[in-house]
């Protein structure tokens, strides 16, 4: 079978690798000059910067993505990683000396003594959720199913709570509630919209201290987080090399204009130079609304599928400063990744994002040092630093081109609260606005990270109403994040019934 894949991001590469491994003819078409999508590197004046995932899940040995890649003969060196948090009037930093897996609970109890009992109850709930998660990873024997059912009963009463309700159930202090919901700003999500369970999985204690053991009684129990040594781009490069070695072909610097459909079946694609490529299966990746309105056409979709496209809410964009500096930022930062929050009202912050009002870093930003796990990202004696904020795709009362320099200066000034005199040590600066990322990702609306995780929101399914046309990636049913995207593409391939 001939499989045409539109987009050389992680979803397209994963599907392509599996198809090539099974002997199918694979052609991958991408508008950029190299594979990776948003995990491809940005290179600027001797420095390299990661665009995509910061802390990566599912990639440590024994975890799903790592084990899947091993089946392709791909093994990448990883290093465990964590992140620190800073709020307007307190910081939550990994202790210099290890204080056990629940040091955050104990530290927060000192900051918020009125909520000590609530913290104890929350962490009991946290442990119950993680035990339930662990049991679902085991072979489902009768005994395991019984244990899983009993574990579920312990958390059942919380299952109908959203993140706002859950944190209010446990905590009285608004600032403490924000500790557990602030990360939702990254997803452009309001706590009232998100399943309460999301609070646990976006606040895994292993994300805040890389020294916490991931095993329990000798068995892998907790998920961990990591960086890929040498940079995350090593993953798409390895997948692309696997595809090429199995006969697959890449067509770069090329845009697909149309998916060719005949009698309700995808039969190929038309490129922007009017060239057509016929195939047996077409795999689409990227912005769901753009793909189905421009490349497919709503006339080929069902009303139900169109409704999903109309009601889904993609995330907003990002405004990034990529800096080359002549000081080591880790002299001032305890972790190579720190989230710096400037507010406690997440609902107000989300409202601004969705209505074209950029917070200019006042609501929060993060500092990321990619040269920590990839030293060759910077010349000797220099370091790569990224200042990252979520931002509206389109500004309400201005435009990105005219405001980007002003916004960049303000972010640098804010970052100096953590890295003193940063502005004096900048040697190289590359500003990336949501407009730049629209071009980079070939989207009409910059959406960095996929779909907002609104509870019960439906996303486009992998298998579309058009026969032999699949849709994958961070705006599909598997949602965003490197692990879900790769594992979602793997699952879609396994479910594809190739015509003989």
């Amino acid at each position: 079978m001939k499989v045409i894949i539109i987009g050389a991001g992680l979803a397209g590469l994963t599907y392509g690798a599996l198809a090539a491994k099974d002997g199918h003819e694979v052609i991958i078409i991408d508008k950029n000059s190299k594979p990776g999508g948003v995990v491809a590197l940005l290179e600027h004046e001797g420095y390299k910067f990661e665009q995509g995932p910061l802390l990566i899940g599912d990639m440590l040995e024994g975890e799903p993505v790592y084990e899947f890649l091993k089946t392709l003969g791909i093994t990448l060196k990883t290093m465990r990683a964590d992140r620190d948090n800073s709020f307007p009037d307190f910081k939550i930093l990994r202790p210099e000396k290890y204080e056990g897996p629940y040091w955050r609970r104990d530290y927060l109890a000192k900051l918020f003594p009125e909520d000590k009992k609530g913290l104890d109850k929350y962490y009991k709930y946290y442990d119950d959720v993680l035990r339930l998660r662990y049991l679902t990873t085991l072979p489902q024997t009768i005994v395991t199913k019984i244990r899983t059912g009993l574990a579920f009963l312990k958390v059942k009463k919380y299952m109908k709570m959203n993140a706002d309700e859950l944190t209010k159930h446990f905590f009285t202090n608004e600032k403490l509630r924000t500790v557990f919901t602030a990360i939702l700003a990254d997803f452009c999500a309001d706590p009232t919209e998100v399943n309460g369970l999301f609070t646990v999985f976006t606040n895994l204690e292993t994300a805040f201290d890389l020294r916490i053991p991931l095993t329990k009684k000798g068995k892998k129990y907790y998920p961990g987080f990591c960086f890929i040594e040498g940079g995350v781009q090593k993953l798409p490069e390895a997948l692309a090399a696997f595809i090429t070695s199995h006969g697959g072909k890449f067509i770069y610097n090329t845009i697909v204009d149309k998916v060719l459909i005949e009698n309700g079946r995808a039969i190929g694609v038309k490129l922007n130079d009017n060239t057509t490529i016929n195939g047996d299966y077409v795999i689409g990746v990227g912005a769901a609304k753009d793909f189905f309105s421009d490349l497919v056409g709503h006339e080929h979709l069902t009303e139900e599928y169109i409704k999903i496209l109309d009601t889904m809410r993609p995330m907003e964009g990002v405004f990034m400063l990529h800096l080359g500096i002549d000081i080591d930022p880790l002299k001032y930062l305890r972790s190579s990744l720190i989230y710096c929050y400037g507010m406690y009202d997440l609902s107000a912050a989300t409202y601004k994002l969705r209505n074209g009002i950029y917070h200019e870093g006042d609501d929060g930003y993060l500092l990321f040092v990619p040269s920590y796990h990839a030293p060759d990202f910077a010349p000797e004696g220099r370091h790569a630093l990224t200042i990252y904020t979520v931002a509206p795709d389109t500004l309400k009362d201005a435009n990105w081109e005219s405001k980007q320099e002003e916004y960049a200066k303000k972010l640098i000034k804010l970052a100096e609260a953590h890295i003193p005199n940063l502005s004096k040590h900048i040697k190289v600066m590359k500003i990336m606005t949501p407009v730049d990322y629209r071009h980079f990702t070939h989207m009409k609306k910059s959406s960095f990270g996929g779909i907002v995780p609104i509870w019960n929101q439906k996303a486009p399914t992998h298998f579309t109403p058009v026969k032999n046309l699949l849709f994958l990636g961070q705006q599909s049913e598997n949602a965003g994040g490197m692990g879900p995207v790769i594992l979602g593409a793997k699952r879609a391939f396994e479910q594809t019934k190739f015509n003989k």
Side-chain angles (χ1 to χ4, degrees), residues 299-318:
E299 67 272 17
H300 297 292
L301 306 177
T302 62
E303 289 185 9
E304 181 182 0
Y305 211 86
I306 294 171
K307 184 178 179 181
I308 290 172
L309 294 169
D310 288 342
T311 57
M312 61 175 274
R313 177 181 283 278
M315 294 183 194
E316 291 295 326
V318 292

Side-chain angles (χ1 to χ4, degrees), residues 451-470:
I451 301 173
V452 178
I454 297 172
W455 202 352
N456 295 324
Q457 175 181 230
K458 291 184 178 180
T461 55
H462 291 151
F463 293 90
T464 75
V466 179
K467 293 179 182 178
N468 295 6
L469 174 66
L470 279 71

Side-chain angles (χ1 to χ4, degrees), residues 80-85 91-100 103-104 107 205-212 227 330 333-338 372:
R80 280 192 65 184
D82 53 24
R83 58 183 166 94
D84 284 334
N85 283 339
K91 295 179 180 179
I92 308 175
L93 308 179
R94 177 193 350 120
E96 291 186 7
K97 183 179 178 181
Y98 182 55
E99 296 178 5
W103 67 263
R104 284 208 324 150
Y107 177 72
E205 294 303 305
T206 52
F208 303 102
D209 196 328
L210 54 80
R211 298 166 297 189
I212 295 175
F227 299 128
L330 293 180
L333 305 177
R334 198 166 292 181
S335 170
S336 62
L337 175 61
I338 179 170
Y372 165 70

Side-chain angles (χ1 to χ4, degrees), residues 381-400:
R382 303 285 177 88
H383 298 271
L385 172 70
T386 295
I387 308 176
Y388 168 117
T389 66
V390 288
D393 168 73
T394 303
L395 295 174
K396 182 180 179 181
D397 297 318
N399 64 74
W400 283 109

Side-chain angles (χ1 to χ4, degrees), residues 172-205:
T172 61
N173 192 294
E174 179 191 31
K175 294 179 180 179
L176 179 56
R177 293 198 293 269
T178 305
V179 168
F180 292 92
T181 58
I183 189 66
L184 296 179
D186 245 23
F187 300 89
C188 309
D190 188 296
T192 62
E193 300 173 326
V194 177
N195 188 322
L197 272 177
F198 203 70
T199 305
V200 171
F201 290 108
T202 51
N203 285 278
L204 293 169
E205 294 303 305

Side-chain angles (χ1 to χ4, degrees), residues 153-408:
L153 291 177
K154 292 184 177 182
V155 300
K156 182 180 178 181
K157 66 179 180 180
Y158 302 107
M159 288 297 190
K160 293 184 179 180
M161 293 184 184
N162 61 42
D164 183 64
E165 293 167 337
L166 184 79
T167 52
K168 285 180 177 176
H169 175 81
F170 289 113
F171 313 127
T172 61
N173 192 294
E174 179 191 31
K175 294 179 180 179
L176 179 56
R177 293 198 293 269
T178 305
V179 168
F180 292 92
T181 58
I183 189 66
L184 296 179
D186 245 23
F187 300 89
C188 309
D190 188 296
T192 62
E193 300 173 326
V194 177
N195 188 322
L197 272 177
F198 203 70
T199 305
V200 171
F201 290 108
T202 51
N203 285 278
L204 293 169
E205 294 303 305
T206 52
F208 303 102
D209 196 328
L210 54 80
R211 298 166 297 189
I212 295 175
L214 302 181
T215 57
K216 202 170 186 179
K217 296 181 179 179
K219 296 181 179 179
K220 182 70 188 298
Y221 192 88
Y222 297 106
F225 298 89
C226 68
F227 299 128
I228 296 175
E229 291 188 21
V232 72
Q233 83 288 346
K234 288 188 175 295
L235 176 52
E237 288 172 357
L239 287 168
F242 179 92
I243 292 167
T244 302
S245 70
H246 286 72
K249 297 179 181 178
F250 287 83
I251 303 175
Y252 291 118
N253 303 307
T254 301
I255 293 172
V256 174
D257 272 354
K258 280 291 180 184
V259 174
L260 303 177
I261 299 170
E262 188 175 281
N263 298 323
R265 182 186 299 273
I267 61 168
V269 297
K270 180 170 77 71
L271 308 182
N272 58 338
D273 64 359
N274 285 322
T275 302
T276 61
I277 302 175
N278 295 324
D280 300 296
Y281 285 81
V282 176
I283 315 300
V285 181
K289 294 184 180 185
D290 297 349
F291 178 75
F292 286 104
S293 64
D294 298 347
L295 274 68
V296 177
H298 283 193
E299 67 272 17
H300 297 292
L301 306 177
T302 62
E303 289 185 9
E304 181 182 0
Y305 211 86
I306 294 171
K307 184 178 179 181
I308 290 172
L309 294 169
D310 288 342
T311 57
M312 61 175 274
R313 177 181 283 278
M315 294 183 194
E316 291 295 326
V318 292
F319 180 70
M320 287 195 200
L321 293 186
H322 295 301
L323 307 176
I325 58 178
D326 65 1
I327 55 169
D328 183 357
L330 293 180
K331 288 182 178 179
Y332 305 100
L333 305 177
R334 198 166 292 181
S335 170
S336 62
L337 175 61
I338 179 170
Y339 282 68
C340 309
Y341 299 106
M343 52 74 201
Y344 295 109
D345 188 346
L346 196 59
S347 295
T350 303
Y351 175 85
K352 285 188 284 186
L353 274 175
R354 294 179 179 179
N355 288 274
I357 304 168
Y358 180 47
H359 54 87
E360 302 180 28
D362 289 333
D363 286 349
Y365 57 93
L366 63 82
L367 301 173
F368 177 47
V369 188
S371 52
Y372 165 70
H373 61 275
D376 68 346
F377 278 17
E380 188 174 352
R382 303 285 177 88
H383 298 271
L385 172 70
T386 295
I387 308 176
Y388 168 117
T389 66
V390 288
D393 168 73
T394 303
L395 295 174
K396 182 180 179 181
D397 297 318
N399 64 74
W400 283 109
E401 185 177 5
S402 65
K403 300 290 285 187
Q404 60 180 341
E405 296 287 345
E406 174 188 334
Y407 292 156

Side-chain angles (χ1 to χ4, degrees), residues 34 41-51 321-325 376-379 382-385 426-432:
K34 55 188 174 183
L41 293 184
L42 184 150
E43 300 186 34
H44 184 67
E45 296 185 17
Y47 291 82
K48 300 174 184 177
F49 301 94
E50 291 181 345
Q51 313 282 352
L321 293 186
H322 295 301
L323 307 176
I325 58 178
D376 68 346
F377 278 17
R382 303 285 177 88
H383 298 271
L385 172 70
I426 297 172
K427 299 302 177 182
V428 169
M429 179 168 68
K430 176 66 174 176
I431 301 173
M432 292 291 287

